[in-house]
Every structure is written in structure tokens, then in C-alpha cells.
Amino acid sequence: MPDLSGSDTRPAVARAVVSLWPLAALTGVVLLLGLVGVLPRWPGLVHAVALPPIDLYSDLRVLLARAHSEPEFFAALAVVLAVRVVVLCLLTGGLTWARARFVLLFYVLVGVPLALAGLMGFMAQSLLYSRLFWASVSLVALVWFGTAALPWQRTTRLRTAFREAWGNGLRVAVLLPYAVALLLLGALADLRPGWSLALVPVSAVLTGAAVLALRRPPRGRPLLRLAAAAAAFAVAATVFVTTRGGEGYGQRAAERSGSLLLMSGINSSSGSGAIFETEVERLGYGCEQTYYFSYAGTGDGQPRGVATCPIRTGAPYVPRDTQRPMAEQVRTFAEQVRELPQPVVVAGHSHAVWVAWQAVAEGKAPEVDTLLLVGPFPQSPLGYPPAGKRGEGRVAGDLLRLVVPLAAHVDFVFEPDAPAARELLATPDGASTALAEPLPPGVRSLSVTSATDLPLMPDGWRLPVDRNVCPQRVAHPYLPIRPVFYHEVNRFLADEPPLRCPAWRDWGATLSRPFTLPPHAS
């Protein structure tokens, strides 16, 4: 008959809890550094005491966002890596040369893809390119689930640890509940920014519970649990993808008077860009009423490319024209709306939002009656200093300049130090500065945001406009050509209420924003 008195269990439990003192000490250090301002207080701070290798990803993100130079970056990285190695050694069996070598190799192994994920996250936040953000989050999840069980195997050989971890089903019975708890904790830190420091001990408690569970051998059939988790993920992903249809096109719009000006975003060219494909007749406009903005200025027409209608005005432009100084772009916009038939409706996609807003808000385009802001970004909290200059984001900015030329091979032409890039993206809060001045009272305005962009908007997605419609389950580039766009725009132009917005629509951003880089201290 088993002993139910607990006399043998309590001392073992007490010893197990006491063995977590390195984690408690690390938590105290993180709290102290957060209190004195060395560590930023952002939702990702709860990851500083999370289960490896998320802890290292937290360090890399802070260093990429805050380091002022390469020597500062690598010196700080050496210090935090030494601390991480010592703490993990003490938690997994003691500080010996064999274990220290094993743990160091583990951190180096995961550090390479995590550094890549950190750089992708930096590029996503500084360039406001959400596809890179979701790619970085996916890479972090893959690395974490694939390697988090390694240090807890009873070996100091990396290859053996890999084999045993996979044989133990990657310990998903422990890691999956822990990951859900960490996601919810990060979401709470995002919803209550002032709580981020206070939630660090809570994160440490979750990590301690996971550590104690990982020290015990797995029960049941771990490979079957891994297969079940993979199958559940595949089903959930399939359901998510196949339910993005939305509300459809809605009723076809009646013919409208006036004119419609369509503006493509950065890196576009004449006839090349999603908004050129907008089916204008669904919005109540004919081709004779439709005009396409040119970043090169006025002219007699441009190559049609994929445009729905012939492009009868404007000079042919190339991607480099979209990166001219903002003052020039605003002036070019004002020139092209001056002679358009009234009333003038302008639909600006992505970068074009800033151009149109600034021109109208400054009174340089009084002819505009309605602004349709498609895929706007209200903030740009992360930037990078000029080439060769010290400043926050220096290391990530230098890496950005090395990587960007490779993007030209996939037709993404971007110059990090072009005038528009420096004004809006490289300068922290450049985007919010462009939208700072309110629109004139007589201008009607609508904002249509992509739900995939929301993690890059730490201060919220709503703009000071007449209507902020529900964030759409559409990727940023395709917003102006999906059925729900026509539906919402037509309802707005007809003074009808917007479509219903589910309460869960922005939950994905709340759960994922703790995986962003912290904003600059300045």
C-alpha cells in the first residue's frame, strides 16, 4: 500500500524548489535592471526569464534595438551569454566543464537562427513590413519547439541530446502548455504595459514549473503526443486559412460622380502594384473617371501594366521615384489632384497614406473630398542611424544595409538611406509625425487596416478619421483587391454602417506583439 503521509515527498519537493535558486537570482537581476532602466519595459520583458532558448532571443532583441555600436553589441552579448550559460548549467545538473561546453554549444546552435529572426523582426518593425515579422515569429517557434528539450536530456553531448529529445517527443506535453501560458502572460503584458516588470516573477514561476517537469522522465507515449500535437496544429492552420473569405463584395455600387485617384505604395512603379488592379467599377467609377497617381509627377500617361483602366495621366515612374523626399511627393500629389473632376476620392495604399494625408492636412490639396486610407501605419517606433553614425539600432541598421541589396533579386528595390526612408522609417516616430496634423473638417476619411499588420502598431491601429473599419484578414499587399475592401468602401461612401467587427479580430496582435523588438529608449 503506498505511503500517503507525504513524509517522503515534501523534502523532495523542497529540494526541487530550492534547486531553482539560479532562476530566482536571474529574476532578481532582471527586475533590478528593469527598475534602473537598463532593460526596456515592454511586453517582451517577460521572456527574459523564459525557458531557453527564448531567453536568448529576448537578449538579442534588446541588443539589436538598443546597441549604439558593434563593439557595444558584442561586449554585451558576451556578458549575457556567459550569464545564460552559467544559469542553465546550474539548472541542468551543475557547473562542470563538460556541461558548460554542452550548454554553450546549445546557445550557439540556436543563436544563429534566433539572430536571423531578430534581424527579420527589426527589418519588419523599421520598414513596416509585416510579412517579415510573421516569418521571424514562425522561425522562433520552430527553433524553440525543436530545441527547448535538448538541455534537459541526461547527457552533455549535443547529438545524443537531439536523438533523445526526439525520442521523447520533444516533450510537447510540457512545452505546449508552457508555451500557451507564456503567450497569455505576454498578452497581459501587452494589454497592461505598466505591468511588464511586475509580470517577470510570474514568468519565472512558469519557467520554474516547466523546469521541474522537464527534469522528470516523460510519461506515456511521447511520440504519439507529438504526432497528435502536429495533427492538431495542421487542422487549426487549415481552418484559419480557409475561413478568411469575409463578407463578400456586397451590393454593386451605383454610378458615382466625380473622380477616383488610386495611389500605389513604396517600391511600386507605373502599372505595377496591387491597387492598380482595383476593380473600379465595383466602387461605382468608370475608367474615364479613374486616375492613377505618379510619383514622377504630371505627364501624358504611363504604361498600363496590370492596371484595370488605361493610365491617361502622369509621367512613367520607377521604384526609386517612390523614395524621393516627402516634400517633393506632397507637392507632386497636389499638382495631380488640382484639375480632377469634383468630388475627388483618393485611395492611397501603404506609403501613399502618408503622402496624401500630409498634403491634405497641410491644405495643399483642397480639392480632395474623401480619403480612403488603405493599409496605414500610425507609428514607426523603431529606426536606425545614418550609415557610419553611432546610435540606437546601429548594428541592425548596418545589417539591414547588407541584406537589402539581396532583395533586389526578388524585385524589392529599397534604399535604407533614401530621403523618404530616412524621414519616415529610419527616424523613430517619423510615421506618426507625418500623420500628426489633423485633416480639415470637410474631408471624409476611412481607414482600412490589415490584421496581419497590427503587431507593428504598439500604440493601436485606430487613426483620427471618420471611420476605422474592422482590421481585415487580408495580407497588407492585397487589401485594395479583396472583396471586403469593396464592401467596406461602398458602405462608407453610401453612409451605411460598417460591417460587424468580431471582438477577437485583434487578438493575434496582442499574443504576438511581445515577440517584437523594444522601441528605442529615445
Side-chain angles (χ1 to χ4, degrees):
M1 183 174 179
D3 181 10
L4 302 179
S5 65
S7 57
D8 294 329
T9 303
R10 280 195 298 269
V13 171
R15 286 195 302 271
V17 172
V18 170
S19 71
L20 296 176
W21 69 264
L23 178 61
L26 177 65
T27 304
V29 171
V30 171
L31 288 172
L32 177 61
L33 294 178
L35 282 171
V36 299
V38 175
L39 285 178
R41 301 188 192 185
W42 99 109
L45 187 61
V46 297
H47 296 159
V49 292
L51 199 66
I54 287 293
D55 57 348
L56 180 62
Y57 187 56
S58 173
D59 302 331
L60 289 168
R61 284 179 287 161
V62 172
L63 293 177
L64 285 170
R66 295 292 181 91
H68 289 73
S69 66
E70 280 81 1
E72 181 181 311
F73 175 89
F74 286 109
L77 180 60
V79 172
V80 298
L81 185 58
V83 172
R84 296 296 184 191
V85 168
V86 170
V87 170
L88 188 52
C89 283
L90 293 174
L91 289 174
T92 55
L95 191 58
T96 64
W97 283 112
R99 187 163 299 279
R101 175 180 174 275
F102 168 72
V103 171
L104 179 60
L105 286 175
F106 164 75
Y107 272 124
V108 171
L109 173 73
V110 299
V112 174
L114 290 181
L116 176 60
L119 177 60
M120 292 165 63
F122 174 85
M123 294 175 64
Q125 289 175 252
S126 58
L127 306 185
L128 301 179
Y129 191 52
S130 58
R131 284 183 171 182
L132 278 176
F133 171 75
W134 291 109
S136 73
V137 170
S138 300
L139 180 57
V140 169
L142 183 64
V143 171
W144 187 78
F145 274 106
T147 64
L150 296 185
W152 312 100
Q153 308 307 309
R154 299 179 183 277
T155 180
T156 55
R157 297 180 63 85
L158 205 54
R159 185 177 300 178
T160 304
F162 262 114
R163 185 170 60 250
E164 291 183 358
W166 279 95
N168 290 328
L170 296 179
R171 302 303 304 271
V172 291
V174 175
L175 296 184
L176 199 55
Y178 172 79
V180 172
L182 188 63
L183 282 172
L184 294 176
L185 188 66
L188 181 59
D190 181 65
L191 292 171
R192 297 288 185 271
W195 295 7
S196 58
L197 196 61
L199 291 176
V200 169
V202 181
S203 178
V205 170
L206 293 177
T207 303
V211 167
L212 295 179
L214 288 168
R215 286 174 177 173
R216 296 191 294 268
R219 299 177 180 177
R221 303 172 68 179
L223 288 176
L224 184 61
R225 291 177 177 175
L226 177 61
F233 174 78
V235 170
T238 301
V239 171
F240 176 80
V241 172
T242 56
T243 56
R244 292 187 300 173
E247 302 283 346
Y249 287 100
Q251 294 185 350
R252 201 174 191 89
E255 291 185 8
R256 306 187 192 279
S257 59
S259 55
L260 173 67
L261 177 67
L262 301 177
M263 304 176 65
S264 194
I266 203 163
N267 194 47
S268 64
S269 59
S270 294
S272 177
I275 204 164
F276 286 98
E277 302 178 52
T278 300
E279 301 173 60
V280 295
E281 70 280 0
R282 292 188 180 275
L283 299 176
Y285 293 94
C287 281
E288 70 282 358
Q289 299 171 280
T290 302
Y291 301 84
Y292 298 90
F293 174 72
S294 169
Y295 285 92
T298 57
D300 298 326
Q302 312 167 53
R304 181 169 179 173
V306 299
T308 301
C309 299
I311 307 179
R312 299 168 285 116
T313 59
Y317 76 92
V318 295
R320 187 160 295 172
D321 292 317
T322 66
Q323 301 175 42
R324 296 161 58 198
M326 279 296 290
E328 292 183 15
Q329 297 189 37
V330 167
R331 185 170 60 251
T332 298
F333 172 81
E335 291 171 353
Q336 292 180 57
V337 299
R338 195 162 295 150
E339 303 299 330
L340 295 183
Q342 299 287 319
V344 177
V345 175
V346 175
H349 186 202
S350 194
H351 169 84
V353 167
W354 297 317
V355 178
W357 183 292
Q358 196 166 327
V360 174
E362 293 176 356
K364 296 178 180 178
E367 299 83 3
V368 175
D369 296 277
T370 302
L371 269 183
L372 308 177
L373 310 174
V374 189
F377 283 97
Q379 314 102 28
S380 52
L382 209 60
Y384 49 91
K389 301 292 185 181
R390 282 179 57 88
E392 290 182 296
R394 163 70 186 270
V395 176
D398 289 345
L399 291 173
L400 170 64
R401 293 181 180 91
L402 290 175
V403 171
V404 160
L406 301 177
H409 295 291
V410 291
D411 295 327
F412 183 78
V413 180
F414 180 77
E415 299 177 22
D417 295 303
R422 290 233 57 89
E423 290 179 61
L424 296 168
L425 304 177
T427 303
D429 291 326
S432 53
T433 301
L435 303 177
E437 193 165 345
L439 296 173
V443 177
R444 301 183 66 207
S445 50
L446 169 77
S447 174
V448 184
T449 304
S450 168
T452 61
D453 292 339
L454 298 186
L456 306 184
M457 304 175 189
D459 297 326
W461 53 273
R462 291 176 175 84
L463 288 174
V465 295
D466 294 321
R467 180 179 296 180
N468 288 282
V469 300
C470 189
Q472 303 303 317
R473 293 180 63 193
V474 177
H476 178 91
Y478 309 120
L479 270 175
I481 57 175
R482 289 295 184 259
V484 70
F485 167 76
Y486 301 101
H487 202 160
E488 289 283 21
V489 169
N490 281 327
R491 294 177 74 91
F492 175 71
L493 295 177
D495 292 318
E496 297 177 3
L499 298 172
R500 184 182 63 88
C501 189
W504 51 263
R505 185 56 61 85
D506 58 356
W507 289 2
T510 302
L511 290 169
S512 61
R513 199 173 289 122
F515 292 90
T516 59
L517 279 72
H520 293 320
S522 56

